Amino acid sequence: MRRVDMAMDIPNTMRAIEVTEPGEPEVLVIGERAVPPLGADDVLIRVAAAGVNRADVMQRRGNYPPPPGASDVLGLEVSGVVAAVGAAVSGWRVGDAVCALLAGGGYAEYCAVPAPQCLPVPGGIDLVDGAALPEVVLTVWTNVFERGRLASGETLLVHGGSSGIGTMAIQLARAFGARVFVTAGSAEKCAACETLGADRAVNYRETDFVEAVRTAAGDRGVDVVLDMVGCDYLQKNLDLLNIEGRLVIIALMSGARAEIDLATLMRRRLMVTGSTLRARSVAEKSAVVDAARERVWPLLETGRVRPVIYQRLPLAQAADAHRLMESSSHIGKLLLVT
């Protein structure tokens, strides 16, 4: 366990990014908040960095409110150093270098999180860069491997292959013996995905990805699709799935409502599923954390799988980070450094 041996002088207040009103990135401003209280089962983290996710953009726009009891401060993942532990916490000590999955509160200098949602920052990964891990690793693990049941020798299609989730999904699928195809929006992004291990990256702006992926797969379909697009891609995804194929939906960038031909599902025994992490219980999140620590963390420790970092920006430049996110020009993760 990596540790920082130093006394923790915890202030009463901290800097945090606030949303003045739902709107464009300029509504994100630096403000002052009370350091969050520490529950008996919580860990207080002195934040080194927070990951930026599309869910944060949705919340800033007023379309993704935090679950009951969660902080209204944006931010679903952080890395940092344990500053204090609750009375009922075991396994973590002040000074431990951790990263954590949050229900909110990451865009701040301190955050409180249930201890079971914390993970050690893997060896060889910088403390700041550890903030790029929790949301993407846990999202990929629960959706691709648990819900999608991707197995060695199968094929996976990832939409948004150059995103933080996409870049992690490519690496993990390859590490567990699957072939990977992706879609991305430029030649540069496609090249980056293939460098990470994608067998074929299709520029969806120029090429029909259904035919391109089918050809790359040897005139076959794929076994699992990880989809962030939603409505517009639904039928194409179903058309690409092999018998017993699984479509896993994790975002709805093109909308949430679409018609589906149920006969197609029945005839080819397809499964359509989806999930989110944020609203799950601590116990449910803890189970995903434990599985990732057992199965994925060894790959991170050895360097076989690495987070892809596009840019690190100061916390006060949260608005700039959101503009980058919305431009979709990035490859990998955006981080806000405190």
Side-chain angles (χ1 to χ4, degrees), residues 173-287:
R174 285 300 301 267
F176 286 102
R179 296 184 68 197
V180 188
F181 308 109
V182 306
T183 62
S186 71
E188 179 189 12
K189 290 181 177 182
C190 287
C193 292
E194 291 178 350
T195 298
L196 286 171
D199 293 85
R200 173 79 160 90
V202 180
N203 185 342
Y204 65 86
R205 300 182 190 278
E206 299 178 351
T207 304
D208 176 8
F209 72 80
V210 174
E211 291 307 314
V213 170
R214 195 181 301 281
T215 299
D219 293 324
R220 298 184 68 248
V222 297
D223 299 300
V224 180
V225 177
L226 182 65
D227 180 47
M228 310 175 197
V229 179
C231 176
D232 289 354
Y233 277 12
L234 178 60
Q235 191 59 52
K236 291 183 176 183
N237 288 331
L238 295 177
D239 290 343
L240 260 176
L241 285 174
N242 292 324
I243 292 175
E244 302 279 4
R246 289 83 74 193
L247 167 59
V248 188
I249 301 169
I250 59 170
L252 303 166
M253 294 177 65
S254 71
R257 296 185 178 274
E259 290 188 357
I260 189 169
D261 181 354
L262 296 177
T264 300
L265 271 65
M266 296 166 65
R267 185 173 58 253
R268 295 183 15 233
R269 304 189 298 277
L270 305 180
M271 182 181 78
V272 179
T273 185
S275 74
T276 62
L277 274 172
R278 189 180 193 185
R280 295 193 197 185
S281 68
V282 174
E284 290 173 315
K285 292 175 183 176
S286 175

Side-chain angles (χ1 to χ4, degrees), residues 100-112:
L101 182 74
L102 314 177
Y107 288 17
E109 292 180 310
Y110 288 86
C111 69

Side-chain angles (χ1 to χ4, degrees), residues 80-162:
V81 176
V82 174
V85 296
V89 172
S90 61
W92 299 109
R93 295 186 297 163
V94 172
D96 286 344
V98 297
C99 54
L101 182 74
L102 314 177
Y107 288 17
E109 292 180 310
Y110 288 86
C111 69
V113 58
Q117 293 173 208
C118 295
L119 287 153
V121 175
I125 292 180
D126 182 81
L127 179 64
V128 164
D129 291 351
L133 294 173
E135 183 74 16
V136 297
V137 170
L138 299 179
T139 296
V140 170
W141 183 259
T142 190
N143 286 287
V144 173
F145 295 96
E146 293 184 341
R147 303 190 71 81
R149 305 194 309 273
L150 183 70
S152 178
E154 290 193 318
T155 50
L156 169 70
L157 170 62
V158 180
H159 293 299
S162 61

